[in-house]
Amino acid sequence: MNKAKFLKKSILFAIIGIMAFSLIPAVSAGVPGHMKERPWYNNLLMAWWFNDPGFEFSASEDLYFRIGWFSTEEEIENDLAPKHPWKFKLFINDEEIDLDRYGVWANRSLGITKVSYFYHVFGPGYFEVEGEYLLRFEFWVRRPYQGDGKNYWRIFVDYSTGWEFIAEYNLNIIA
């Protein structure tokens, strides 16, 4: 009888444990192998980074989107930057694209502890030549920063300038 109760409790504990772990988002330690060799110019972020609306992406190339964020220890201590968690959201023609995430440890001598990267691989043939694609990405934060006292998901705002971290631009897809 005691063995039966123990077995039932053990199974129940295991099921609850598995369910709890399934709610925790997976984060890999370090750069995923398939992201290490991708050329920088195939990152759809480059058109925004270089502020070049003519930046061309080839529909036949292995295209991806990757963006990162870090805060220095000094920024966090002085309440200038948001603390974890944070996330990016990506939209193409108003359709949200799921982003994966990985983190890497950065140069502690610069006061940077961890960099979080968010990415999605589209691969060759995802985009059509001459197709119209509006890319938008947003940076979302959850914890209070710059004295705002807010503790819910919202788009990052630099309160000193009023600038919201939202960017959008058209993709220039060629053959």
Side-chain angles (χ1 to χ4, degrees):
M1 185 99 166
N2 286 339
K3 288 182 182 181
K5 285 184 179 180
F6 176 76
L7 184 61
K8 285 181 183 178
K9 286 182 181 180
S10 297
I11 291 172
L12 180 62
F13 181 78
I15 290 171
I16 291 171
I18 290 170
M19 289 173 57
F21 282 120
S22 70
L23 298 175
I24 300 171
V27 177
S28 63
V31 182
H34 65 89
M35 291 302 293
K36 289 181 181 179
E37 302 300 322
R38 295 190 185 279
W40 65 269
Y41 51 83
N42 282 351
N43 186 349
L44 298 177
L45 182 67
M46 290 301 103
W48 174 76
W49 185 259
F50 289 115
N51 194 22
D52 180 4
F55 199 100
E56 297 176 336
F57 298 101
S58 172
S60 62
E61 291 283 326
D62 191 18
L63 300 176
Y64 65 98
F65 176 86
R66 180 177 60 188
I67 190 167
W69 182 267
F70 72 88
S71 297
T72 65
E73 293 171 353
E74 181 180 359
E75 288 173 326
I76 291 173
E77 287 172 9
N78 293 321
D79 197 33
L80 300 174
K83 300 167 189 67
H84 277 284
W86 55 63
K87 63 184 172 183
F88 280 89
K89 291 188 177 186
L90 174 65
F91 302 87
I92 295 183
N93 293 344
D94 290 325
E95 180 183 334
E96 186 169 2
I97 307 295
D98 289 331
L99 296 176
D100 292 315
R101 177 172 68 101
Y102 67 90
V104 295
W105 294 102
N107 189 337
R108 294 213 37 113
S109 66
L110 298 176
I112 301 169
T113 57
K114 188 174 182 182
V115 181
S116 292
Y117 287 98
F118 300 82
Y119 71 96
H120 184 84
V121 177
F122 294 97
Y126 181 88
F127 297 101
E128 294 179 10
V129 178
E130 304 296 324
E132 293 186 19
Y133 299 99
L134 178 66
L135 183 145
R136 182 178 83 242
F137 63 93
E138 304 166 347
F139 180 54
W140 286 67
V141 296
R142 182 170 162 195
R143 306 265 309 272
Y145 67 97
Q146 295 180 0
D148 69 4
K150 299 174 182 175
N151 196 19
Y152 56 85
W153 284 108
R154 65 209 181 275
I155 294 176
F156 174 81
V157 176
D158 180 345
Y159 293 116
S160 65
T161 63
W163 175 74
E164 289 184 321
F165 198 139
I166 300 173
E168 71 177 23
Y169 51 94
N170 291 305
L171 295 176
N172 187 10
I173 306 294
I174 60 169

